[in-house]
Amino acid sequence: MKKRTCLFLLAFCLLLTACGPAAQPETDADPAPEVSAPEGTLPESSSVPKGPAEPELSQREKGWLEDIEFLREQYKEKHLHPFYFHSEEEFDYNLDQLSARVGELTDSDMYFELAAIIASMGDLHTSIQAPDSLYERMFPFDTRYFGDRLYIVNYPVEYEELAPYLLQEIVAVNGVDVAYLKKKAESITNPTNSWFSKEIFPYKWSVMASFYDWATGLDAQESYTFQILNENQEVESVEIPVISMEEYQRSEKVYQENIRSVYVMFYGDWTDYVDQSSGCVYLAVGSMFDLEESHYKELFEDTAKLLEEHPDCRKLAIDLRHNSGGYSTSFAYLQKHLPILKEFPFEQVFVLINGYTASNATRCITLFEEELGAVKVGEPTGQFTSFFMHGTSMTGVSVTLPHSQLSVVVSTGWHEGDNPENTVYNKDRRLYEWENTILPDVYVYQDIEDVRQGKDSVIEWVLAQ
């Protein structure tokens, strides 16, 4: 027992020793004093890690940065209400993000990015003009949307190999779905009004190779692969070459033989008598850029002459589907000579509209409704009755970016719509962003099968009434 007790005491002493503090090394009684470096210097043994030096910006990059800052300043200074729909913080953020990318974008890409930033602010009349360089690389055809699908509508006579694809649907370009490309086009045209963007895309972006380069992030090519549906709705991959603007403009265009009777295909101011199952006098007011008062007087007189030649006809269709607006002076002339038409006892008057109908053309809609009792037929318009405008100059304030020489037109005025009782304002007395279109009384969409038969779907509806 004593022996067991002694072993226990020995083990306990060893345990206490193991848990005690470790022995400390001996130190010098008088350590050497620290030597301080002179103020403002570092000891020789010290070193500050150095990151890689920032690369020197090229003159091109410095130029684009100058343009971005100039645009930021001028837009804020000159626009009547620069942040009506979207905040200054959002505008600045988008420009800052673009500034960080100038080294990786082409000059063409920079145009599209700036156009998207301006379009995102919600003012259709403030825009950046496309430079001539974008039109140096074109495709040898024109396109149109019918319904919500994109079709080839003509080709130059020299490109007979495109004949099988006339009025056939484009579904993709270089494997990129047309629906995505349409959204990219909306971002640089009008992100909130797809009706307007749908009309602008075929006229402007769909035939421009640089648009596809920007939209897809791919390098410029000498030809692009278009995926097109054939008559059996099968996808065919067609190599489409890039041509110059000179070649695009000088070539005679080939259309389907009977497409001339599809009025929505052609611009201009003219009048005609449509004689089918029931007669209709047709009046196209394609724009308001003619400053000659006699032009509008003669246009109405020609319409009146047709009405006199067809005394049994009491139906009038006024086509604004190619009218994106124009001068307020032209609108005043049109309004002044409208009594020429008011002399006739119409039974039915229709005003034809679509996404291209905008600006002063929306004033025409109201005028024809109030003075002639017109019914709106077609698709929603590209702009609301109230909108920012170019002010008294009618051309806006034009700003030229110093490096790229891109021209930016800035709105300096506001047009209050003719029917404010139908306008909805928020608590700050501003339009809601969805107040950006005029809805038709009767929706009629242009049908591709009608086009292939040489029929204008909207006119066909009018004739059936």
Side-chain angles (χ1 to χ4, degrees):
M1 182 70 175
K2 287 183 178 181
K3 186 176 180 180
R4 195 180 301 168
T5 302
C6 290
L7 291 172
F8 175 76
L9 291 174
L10 178 61
F12 183 69
C13 290
L14 291 172
L15 180 63
L16 291 176
T17 303
C19 294
Q24 302 296 318
E26 293 183 3
T27 58
D28 294 335
D30 298 311
E34 295 183 2
V35 180
S36 300
E39 187 176 352
T41 66
L42 292 174
E44 291 183 7
S45 59
S46 301
S47 63
V48 177
K50 297 180 179 179
E54 292 189 7
E56 179 71 19
L57 294 177
S58 67
Q59 285 301 119
R60 172 191 172 277
E61 291 169 328
K62 291 178 182 178
W64 275 116
L65 292 176
E66 181 183 2
D67 279 358
I68 290 171
E69 294 310 309
F70 188 74
L71 174 62
R72 189 196 311 263
E73 169 194 313
Q74 293 296 304
Y75 176 77
K76 292 180 181 182
E77 176 184 324
K78 292 184 165 53
H79 197 283
L80 178 67
H81 199 321
F83 307 112
Y84 188 91
F85 289 113
H86 297 278
S87 69
E88 183 175 5
E89 291 75 17
E90 181 178 348
F91 180 68
D92 285 334
Y93 175 80
N94 289 335
L95 288 178
D96 291 342
Q97 291 294 105
L98 180 58
S99 295
R101 300 176 58 208
V102 294
E104 63 190 65
L105 298 174
T106 67
D107 288 348
S108 294
D109 291 341
M110 286 297 297
Y111 162 76
F112 288 113
E113 294 291 336
L114 288 173
I117 291 173
I118 292 174
S120 71
M121 301 310 291
D123 171 17
L124 195 62
H125 280 93
T126 293
S127 61
I128 181 168
Q129 307 303 304
D132 292 341
S133 59
L134 293 187
Y135 298 98
E136 293 174 356
R137 302 173 59 246
M138 306 290 287
F139 292 118
F141 52 69
D142 289 313
T143 66
R144 283 296 302 267
Y145 267 102
F146 300 117
D148 202 36
R149 298 179 180 182
L150 187 68
Y151 296 85
I152 293 177
V153 296
N154 64 31
Y155 61 86
V157 67
E158 300 93 332
Y159 289 86
E160 186 63 27
E161 65 270 22
L162 295 179
Y165 308 105
L166 196 61
L167 294 183
Q168 296 302 126
E169 181 186 354
I170 300 171
V171 295
V173 180
N174 286 349
V176 179
D177 181 23
V178 161
Y180 170 80
L181 296 171
K182 180 171 176 282
K183 294 299 292 184
K184 292 293 287 186
E186 287 176 3
S187 74
I188 57 177
T189 308
N190 188 333
T192 59
N193 188 321
S194 62
W195 300 100
F196 181 74
S197 300
K198 188 179 76 170
E199 298 298 328
I200 295 299
F201 181 33
Y203 294 131
K204 196 168 186 179
W205 313 123
S206 70
V207 295
M208 189 183 290
S210 58
F211 166 77
Y212 297 96
D213 299 337
W214 168 74
T216 64
L218 300 176
D219 293 333
Q221 303 168 40
E222 293 184 0
S223 66
Y224 293 69
T225 304
F226 280 69
Q227 281 77 36
I228 304 174
L229 298 186
N230 62 24
E231 292 182 353
N232 297 321
Q233 298 299 99
E234 299 166 333
V235 177
E236 292 188 16
S237 293
V238 185
E239 286 298 310
I240 305 291
V242 174
I243 64 175
S244 67
M245 172 58 88
E246 182 182 3
E247 184 179 1
Y248 173 85
Q249 289 180 327
R250 74 165 181 254
S251 298
E252 179 186 353
K253 297 294 193 302
V254 177
Y255 290 87
Q256 180 180 277
E257 185 176 350
N258 59 1
I259 207 169
R260 294 290 172 185
S261 57
V262 182
Y263 292 155
V264 74
M265 296 295 298
F266 303 99
Y267 292 96
D269 299 342
W270 80 92
T271 188
D272 194 10
Y273 179 73
V274 186
D275 187 9
Q276 294 182 14
S277 57
S278 65
C280 174
V281 170
Y282 171 86
L283 167 62
V285 183
S287 70
M288 283 176 286
F289 287 106
D290 197 310
L291 293 177
E292 294 292 330
E293 180 177 354
S294 59
H295 172 79
Y296 297 97
K297 180 181 180 182
E298 291 172 3
L299 184 64
F300 287 157
E301 288 175 340
D302 289 344
T303 306
K305 184 178 179 181
L306 284 175
L307 289 164
E308 292 170 351
E309 292 173 354
H310 301 86
D312 294 334
C313 178
R314 290 291 179 267
K315 190 182 298 182
L316 174 67
I318 306 174
D319 199 342
L320 299 179
R321 290 177 295 174
H322 282 304
N323 194 326
S324 62
Y327 298 110
S328 58
T329 304
S330 297
F331 173 80
Y333 293 152
L334 184 148
Q335 186 178 31
K336 177 180 177 181
H337 295 291
L338 190 61
I340 294 174
L341 298 183
K342 292 180 67 176
E343 294 179 1
F344 293 87
F346 297 113
E347 294 178 0
Q348 294 174 301
V349 178
F350 306 96
V351 56
L352 316 184
I353 61 175
N354 66 6
Y356 201 77
T357 311
S359 193
N360 260 326
T362 65
R363 301 179 65 192
C364 291
I365 295 173
T366 303
L367 177 67
F368 297 142
E369 283 184 303
E370 294 180 347
E371 298 296 325
L372 301 176
V375 174
K376 303 184 294 291
V377 182
E379 298 179 359
T381 64
Q383 199 166 29
F384 189 56
T385 55
S386 298
F387 48 83
F388 286 105
M389 64 178 187
H390 291 155
T392 55
S393 69
M394 290 308 298
T395 56
V397 172
S398 183
V399 174
T400 301
L401 304 187
H403 163 70
S404 62
Q405 294 296 293
L406 291 174
S407 178
V408 182
V409 179
V410 181
S411 295
T412 57
W414 174 262
H415 171 70
E416 185 63 44
D418 299 313
N419 53 347
E421 67 278 3
N422 295 328
T423 303
V424 181
Y425 292 95
N426 67 13
K427 59 182 177 60
D428 298 320
R429 286 293 300 165
R430 298 184 192 177
L431 293 176
Y432 287 99
E433 199 166 18
W434 43 262
E435 293 279 11
N436 59 27
T437 189
I438 301 171
L439 305 180
D441 301 310
V442 180
Y443 280 71
V444 179
Y445 306 100
Q446 187 65 52
D447 182 73
I448 184 59
E449 292 306 322
D450 278 351
V451 175
R452 288 171 178 154
Q453 296 175 38
K455 297 179 181 179
D456 187 314
S457 300
V458 181
I459 299 294
E460 291 294 307
W461 184 90
V462 168
L463 292 171
Q465 304 312 301

